[in-house]
Amino acid sequence: MTHTLLVPGALLLEQDWETIAADFVPEPLARRLTRARRSWSELPVRCLRWAEGAAHLAWLAREFAAPGEPPVCAPYAWRASAAPGEAGAADAQIWFCEPVHFSLQAERTVLAAIDTPALAAAESAALFEEAADSARAHGATLREVSGRWYLFPAEPWDLQSTPLQAALGASVEVRLPHGEDASRWRRLLNEVQMRWHAHRVNREREERGQQLANALWLHGGGAWQALDRCRFARVHSEDPVLLGWQAAGAPCDSLNGAPTDSLTVCPQLFEAYWRRDWRTWATAWTAVNAQVQSQLDAADAGPQEQVELVACGRAGVATFELLRRHSILRSFLEPRRRPLRESLTEPAQG
């Protein structure tokens, strides 16, 4: 049995280290990372088109055998979150359609999440009604469940999009949805932007010096389909996409047996990572260390249990086979196999 801890935003580029304070990883975890067997896997070129900047998305899509590139996410999240009677038609196309902030900079427009501060419930509801009215006029239905917005086109749209996490902090111009129906989406987006520009929610946020909700990000679209069974019997994450992918896996059979592995997603680093807020990023390793130690403690209950940490960067992942508790004494006696900086540096592409 293998317990996998996935850590998005854990690997840095060489040039980023100049702004990182030394000894930011707590010593117990640093010891394990520098002595662990480390393997590196770079994303295939086809995945870089949509996952560069958030390599963990490609790793997850592969592990859960998610369909499409970029993978279909929204219908699985919808099924995992919606009430049983609201799942909708099995073949309906569903997209994430999420409010975001477009920041106009000198030579580009940059995408950011709305979190300074996040939209209050009343603000979100008011903007949702405006966007839903525009969606109806363009032959689509906008729905909300568990705080996320989903778009249901009356007919399937032929679009390729970039996952929100891979687009954060990046230029919008090269990541906008494209395809045969791109113009239909742009017309809807432009109308929503105009309505939101004059909306009292944004006027009041601007008066308070707060981030505006001035765009929508469409991504993760497609129709639900059953998936191959993944290797994870347990998924420790609040992400409805992962829970939906897991639930869509084929049922167990007597020949292949039930999956036994577990997956724990450690999200603490990623926001600071895409924002390049390295002080906050370094501090967040304390929470990652606690999660790793908890998993190692639990794994000691079984002699056949293994723990691996999958550290993700922009274009690839590094997998560390962590030492178990019974190996701690040996780890103190062994010299460091590599510096921490080498362990957590993402190789240059190409």
Side-chain angles (χ1 to χ4, degrees):
M1 178 187 299
T2 299
H3 301 280
T4 300
L5 296 110
L6 181 73
V7 189
L11 301 180
L12 299 184
L13 300 176
E14 184 64 40
Q15 60 266 28
D16 294 328
W17 283 95
E18 304 308 318
T19 58
I20 301 295
D23 301 325
F24 61 91
V25 177
E27 181 59 24
L29 180 56
R31 274 200 312 272
R32 289 191 168 92
L33 292 176
T34 56
R35 290 174 169 83
R37 182 178 301 171
R38 179 186 189 270
S39 59
W40 166 255
S41 176
E42 188 169 313
L43 297 187
V45 173
R46 69 179 189 278
C47 294
L48 284 175
R49 298 190 187 101
W50 56 267
E52 185 174 11
H56 64 283
L57 299 178
W59 187 92
L60 287 166
R62 183 194 67 200
E63 289 291 329
F64 285 92
E69 287 197 17
V72 177
C73 301
Y76 297 93
W78 174 262
R79 284 201 174 204
S81 304
E86 297 180 355
D91 60 347
Q93 189 188 68
I94 308 175
W95 295 82
F96 285 125
C97 187
E98 307 190 79
V100 295
H101 176 73
F102 282 0
S103 174
L104 299 178
Q105 299 188 1
E107 298 181 353
R108 61 178 188 154
T109 302
V110 174
L111 176 67
I114 303 173
D115 52 11
T116 54
L119 292 171
E123 292 177 322
S124 180
L127 294 175
F128 177 88
E129 289 303 321
E130 290 284 317
D133 186 59
S134 291
R136 285 189 292 270
H138 288 262
T141 302
L142 188 64
R143 302 175 72 177
E144 183 272 338
V145 65
S146 300
R148 298 194 75 169
W149 298 8
Y150 298 81
L151 190 72
F152 294 70
E155 298 177 355
W157 286 354
D158 181 0
L159 289 173
Q160 291 77 50
S161 63
T162 301
L164 178 58
Q165 285 190 323
L168 290 170
S171 297
V172 168
E173 291 82 0
V174 296
R175 288 171 173 80
L176 287 170
H178 59 279
E180 290 188 9
D181 292 306
S183 60
R184 298 178 66 177
W185 165 245
R186 283 195 298 269
R187 286 194 296 270
L188 172 55
L189 174 60
N190 290 341
E191 180 175 320
V192 171
Q193 288 179 299
M194 288 188 290
R195 295 180 71 161
W196 282 5
H197 177 74
H199 198 281
R200 62 168 180 81
V201 167
N202 275 325
R203 291 200 309 271
E204 292 170 0
R205 288 178 71 90
E206 187 171 26
E207 290 171 359
R208 295 191 295 266
Q210 297 173 342
Q211 198 178 33
L212 305 185
N214 58 11
L216 289 166
W217 196 253
L218 190 76
H219 65 106
W224 187 95
Q225 65 184 67
L227 306 179
D228 293 336
R229 188 176 72 242
C230 72
R231 65 184 175 96
F232 300 119
R234 294 171 301 283
V235 175
H236 304 289
S237 172
E238 297 180 355
D239 187 345
V241 174
L242 304 187
L243 301 179
W245 281 347
Q246 183 191 29
C252 302
D253 58 64
S254 57
L255 293 178
N256 297 319
T260 59
D261 294 350
S262 73
L263 171 67
T264 300
V265 180
C266 306
Q268 296 92 342
L269 303 181
F270 189 72
E271 180 178 347
Y273 173 80
W274 75 258
R275 292 185 182 280
R276 302 179 64 80
D277 177 1
W278 301 127
R279 177 174 295 183
T280 301
W281 180 86
T283 302
W285 276 96
T286 301
V288 174
N289 175 66
Q291 215 161 356
V292 170
Q293 187 59 57
S294 176
Q295 188 64 77
L296 287 165
D297 291 344
D300 273 331
Q304 302 302 318
E305 298 187 11
Q306 303 297 322
V307 178
E308 64 179 13
L309 185 146
V310 180
C312 305
R314 291 187 55 80
V317 302
T319 301
F320 297 85
E321 298 177 19
L322 299 185
L323 294 172
R324 296 276 304 285
R325 180 181 293 274
H326 66 265
S327 301
I328 290 294
L329 178 59
R330 186 186 68 188
S331 72
F332 273 111
L333 298 176
E334 289 180 351
R336 286 182 181 267
R337 295 180 180 175
R338 73 181 78 82
L340 182 63
R341 178 166 176 166
E342 180 182 338
S343 298
L344 295 178
T345 296
E346 181 168 358
Q349 290 180 251

XYZ file of all heavy atoms in Angstrom, residues 229 252-259:
63
model
N -10.966 2.534 -13.147
C -10.773 2.653 -11.711
C -9.351 3.124 -11.412
O -8.378 2.619 -11.967
C -11.023 1.313 -11.028
C -11.021 1.402 -9.501
C -11.362 0.066 -8.853
N -10.257 -0.876 -8.997
C -10.333 -2.021 -9.647
N -11.456 -2.348 -10.273
N -9.306 -2.833 -9.717
N -15.218 -2.300 -8.444
C -14.243 -3.370 -8.244
C -14.765 -4.683 -8.826
O -15.971 -4.912 -8.921
C -13.982 -3.563 -6.753
S -13.373 -2.082 -5.929
N -13.855 -5.545 -9.217
C -14.235 -6.882 -9.660
C -13.396 -7.900 -8.909
O -12.372 -7.591 -8.314
C -14.056 -7.038 -11.179
C -12.640 -6.769 -11.634
O -11.750 -7.534 -11.237
O -12.426 -5.798 -12.396
N -13.828 -9.127 -8.937
C -13.179 -10.164 -8.140
C -11.793 -10.503 -8.641
O -10.954 -11.008 -7.890
C -14.046 -11.429 -8.134
O -14.284 -11.870 -9.472
N -11.501 -10.231 -9.926
C -10.200 -10.576 -10.486
C -9.125 -9.572 -10.095
O -8.017 -9.947 -9.704
C -10.297 -10.670 -12.012
C -11.155 -11.823 -12.569
C -11.187 -11.754 -14.092
C -10.592 -13.179 -12.114
N -9.446 -8.292 -10.211
C -8.442 -7.259 -9.983
C -8.400 -6.755 -8.537
O -7.449 -6.124 -8.124
C -8.669 -6.082 -10.933
C -8.501 -6.496 -12.380
O -7.593 -7.245 -12.710
N -9.397 -6.015 -13.243
N -9.450 -7.027 -7.783
C -9.463 -6.597 -6.398
C -9.706 -5.109 -6.249
O -9.799 -4.363 -7.214
N -9.785 -4.678 -5.005
C -10.069 -3.281 -4.711
C -8.773 -2.484 -4.630
O -7.730 -3.013 -4.261
C -10.825 -3.179 -3.391
N -8.820 -1.192 -4.986
C -7.637 -0.343 -4.810
C -7.315 -0.189 -3.330
O -8.201 -0.270 -2.471
C -8.063 0.983 -5.437
C -9.553 0.974 -5.392
C -9.967 -0.454 -5.540
